[in-house]
Amino acid sequence: MKELIAIVRMNMMNRTKKALADIGLGSMSARDALGRGKGIVDLNLLQGAELGYEEAISQLGQSQRLIPKRAIIMVVNDELVDKAVKTIIKVNQTGKSGDGMIFVMPCAEAVRVRTGEEGEDTLDEG
């Protein structure tokens, strides 16, 4: 099992969630996140970029401000990691700074609280 944490633009959350559900990976958690990558952001264009306007996204420039994002957290079995990562990239890749990041980490155990199921039995089948 692997834990995936995907940091995506706010306006891409619903598309990402739908694309993952379409491949059978609907189980996830999400939370608000603030962050920045190597790119630098112009605060005057930030609002337009958050709304998904490509013109604003393409013109982002100089700032050290943390940008609002969404963090998607999910655990998938090893065989589905590549499929999940490719799906997230396909939906979120614009070629512009701020497309996001995906982190893949080992997950030692999973337990479903309601039933007591353990391990991969708790995960989506994909």
Side-chain angles (χ1 to χ4, degrees):
M1 292 182 294
K2 297 285 191 278
E3 178 183 21
L4 278 71
I5 300 176
I7 310 299
V8 301
R9 286 189 174 100
M10 300 282 274
N11 66 314
M12 299 302 280
M13 182 61 196
N14 287 335
R15 286 187 212 162
T16 304
K17 185 171 58 172
K18 181 182 182 330
L20 288 166
D22 288 347
I23 63 166
L25 298 175
S27 298
M28 67 179 66
S29 296
R31 61 180 303 146
D32 292 337
L34 294 173
R36 65 177 306 280
K38 294 188 287 185
I40 299 177
V41 179
D42 181 344
L43 299 179
N44 295 324
L45 298 171
L46 179 59
Q47 185 176 10
E50 288 174 352
L51 295 173
Y53 295 111
E54 291 299 321
E55 312 81 44
I57 293 168
S58 68
Q59 295 179 41
L60 291 177
Q62 307 287 325
S63 172
Q64 299 297 319
R65 181 174 175 192
L66 297 177
I67 307 303
K69 300 280 187 172
R70 284 274 194 257
I72 300 169
I73 303 113
M74 56 193 311
V75 176
V76 300
N77 69 38
D78 291 334
E79 295 78 30
L80 295 173
V81 171
D82 192 50
K83 188 175 187 179
V85 168
K86 286 179 179 177
T87 299
I88 295 167
I89 290 171
K90 181 179 178 183
V91 171
N92 289 277
Q93 189 175 55
T94 68
K96 308 284 191 242
S97 182
D99 280 349
M101 293 284 293
I102 303 169
F103 304 96
V104 181
M105 296 151 292
C107 180
E109 186 60 80
V111 179
R112 185 180 311 278
V113 173
R114 179 176 50 87
T115 64
E117 291 172 285
E118 296 183 10
E120 291 189 4
D121 290 342
T122 65
L123 305 179
D124 289 338
E125 294 181 12

